[in-house]
Amino acid sequence: MTEFARRVEAVSISGIREVFEAAGADAINLGLGQPDFPTPDHVREAAADAIASGAVDGYTSNKGTRELREAIAAKYDRDYSLSVDPGDAIATSGGSEALHLALQAHVDPGQDVIFPDPGFVSYDALTEIAGGKPVPVELREDLTMDPAAVEAAITDDTAVFVVNSPANPTGAVQSEADMREFARIADEHDVLCISDEVYEHIVYEGAHRSPMEFAETDNVVVVSACSKTYSMTGWRLGWVIASTRRIERMLRVHQYAQACASAPAQYAAEAALSGPQKRVGEMVDAFENRRDLVVDGLTDAGLEVPTPQGAFYAMPRVPEGWCSEVVDRGVVVVPGEAFGAAGEGYARLSYAAGTEELKEALEIIDGATRAVR
Ligand SMILES: Cc1ncc(COP(=O)(O)O)c(C=O)c1O
């Protein structure tokens, strides 16, 4: 009988779903990994116009429309003064597919992939699916990833290390000095750095920097997406940028697995990237206010929480039994161990929820914390 492939048996469905299922229908959901804002109108209209005109009835080029890739290149020039050839970008089905392409193209069976622990759930799973060996690296006290820890974990078997800033699940932002170090490590050890920058615009102090700005070799692949920046998680549009030879390899995977990203989403993404950026700033301001509310509320409840500098997550240290007590009282939070073994003793709260809901949730959390202390 045909058995299931080992690389698939090594992966399980994300622990985050289990928490949603355990919570009641009227629970306050602080488990969600997506902004609670609508996609900007001009983005929706660009897609609707493209659909009405018939422009999206057929495949686009495998890499995506030329206009979208020009908008992606213009974005890197605008944001980081990075010169990206539109030919060196592939539009993907969200950041998720971009991560998959990058790992499939660069990891041989048995090779190591280093990533943050706690870290975004896909790094471990996509490494397994690529036949690689997950090498989780524990974070610093402030929940950033230490370049020295990454360097110490590199061996002859290492194919890739993943950097994620701003980070899910921690909200931590790596400093420019760290990003320079990651670039140096990629250069000196001749190991690929996959930089997952899907939260690049959701930063409260300072600005996001990319290891690609500092690397002297082509050993950095950048993954990003419209999903979080423009509140477009349902549209499924991300991209990968890298050197020509790396793009060519990733395109081999994309071409056969996906053909091209959804055409309507490509038109929407082009409008998002080249249109007014005001809505992004407004969303980030709203997230910053909620961040302050959540950090104050958790601190008042007696929890220790590193102040998140970006994304829309907070990750307090929590006593044993805390998560189930909070979920039982009607607030969905995700146990830290869903993001890796080193996440044990933490919980992830998403503040992509309205202020009134957050206030109510914080009151419940206060009561739950007292109950388990
Ligand atoms: C760190 C990180 N990378 C990538 C993704 C994937 O994003 P997308 O919805 O664009 O596939 C997510 C989604 O939650 C994420 O948190």
Side-chain angles (χ1 to χ4, degrees):
M1 199 192 89
T2 305
E3 296 296 339
F4 293 112
R6 270 197 298 271
R7 62 179 185 283
V8 157
E9 292 295 278
V11 167
S12 52
I13 299 296
S14 164
I16 302 180
R17 287 267 146 240
E18 286 163 25
V19 185
F20 290 168
E21 277 151 27
D26 53 357
I28 301 176
N29 195 343
L30 305 189
L32 285 182
Q34 62 184 352
D36 57 323
F37 295 89
T39 300
D41 286 340
H42 71 276
V43 173
R44 291 177 174 174
E45 281 157 19
D49 291 348
I51 291 169
S53 75
V56 301
D57 292 349
Y59 296 119
T60 69
S61 118
N62 295 125
K63 285 183 188 172
T65 67
R66 178 82 197 174
E67 292 76 11
L68 170 58
R69 287 180 289 113
E70 279 168 358
I72 291 170
K75 167 212 147 31
Y76 282 96
D77 184 31
R78 175 172 79 224
D79 293 342
Y80 308 104
S81 303
L82 267 174
S83 159
V84 174
D85 186 311
D88 291 339
I90 305 172
T92 58
S93 179
S96 300
E97 194 217 348
L99 289 169
H100 183 55
L101 299 185
L103 289 165
Q104 287 291 325
H106 293 97
V107 181
D108 261 330
Q111 282 194 306
D112 290 357
V113 176
I114 297 168
F115 53 78
D117 181 8
F120 176 49
V121 289
S122 289
Y123 308 142
D124 182 89
L126 292 176
T127 298
E128 294 282 6
I129 290 169
K133 187 173 141 241
V135 179
V137 165
E138 281 194 36
L139 304 177
R140 296 172 173 131
E141 276 291 299
D142 67 356
L143 301 181
T144 58
M145 187 163 76
D146 187 352
V150 170
E151 194 162 25
I154 289 177
T155 68
D156 290 346
D157 295 329
T158 307
V160 167
F161 66 95
V162 180
V163 173
N164 174 217
S165 178
N168 176 10
T170 61
V173 173
Q174 301 288 151
S175 67
E176 179 184 333
D178 284 347
M179 291 307 208
R180 285 183 183 275
E181 272 295 278
F182 291 130
R184 179 194 63 74
I185 292 166
D187 286 344
E188 276 183 29
H189 293 268
D190 200 15
V191 164
L192 186 73
C193 168
I194 297 177
S195 184
D196 179 347
E197 307 184 359
V198 300
Y199 297 97
E200 62 186 309
H201 290 291
I202 310 176
V203 176
Y204 308 124
E205 283 97 31
H208 166 74
R209 303 302 299 265
S210 172
M212 192 177 260
E213 295 177 71
F214 309 118
E216 286 166 12
T217 65
D218 75 342
N219 285 348
V220 179
V221 168
V222 170
V223 165
S224 195
C226 286
S227 308
K228 316 289 176 170
T229 304
Y230 302 104
S231 201
M232 290 174 66
T233 50
W235 292 82
R236 308 311 303 135
L237 202 293
W239 58 86
V240 64
I241 57 164
S243 65
T244 308
R245 65 183 185 128
R246 297 195 190 282
I247 286 292
E248 203 271 329
R249 296 328 188 276
M250 291 188 276
L251 189 61
R252 295 181 198 179
V253 184
H254 175 72
Q255 179 169 22
Y256 295 111
Q258 184 77 14
C260 66
S262 152
Q266 291 190 46
Y267 281 84
E270 182 193 334
L273 292 168
S274 16
Q277 302 295 306
K278 194 166 135 262
R279 292 282 302 282
V280 179
E282 289 168 0
M283 183 180 74
V284 174
D285 288 346
F287 279 145
E288 187 172 1
N289 289 334
R290 297 174 191 182
R291 187 268 315 250
D292 293 342
L293 181 73
V294 167
V295 168
D296 287 351
L298 294 175
T299 310
D300 289 348
L303 297 170
E304 196 189 307
V305 54
T307 302
Q309 309 290 327
F312 37 78
Y313 307 108
M315 205 171 202
R317 255 182 207 287
V318 296
E320 218 183 307
W322 188 88
C323 286
S324 32
E325 185 66 33
V326 170
V327 173
D328 285 352
R329 290 175 184 231
V331 177
V332 178
V333 295
V334 185
E337 57 266 33
F339 305 96
E344 204 183 327
Y346 290 90
R348 186 192 78 174
L349 281 70
S350 158
Y351 45 88
T355 310
E356 288 314 310
E357 259 186 318
L358 286 172
K359 284 183 181 161
E360 201 184 322
L362 288 164
E363 258 175 53
I364 293 170
I365 284 173
D366 190 55
T369 310
R370 278 175 220 286
V372 293
R373 268 261 152 75

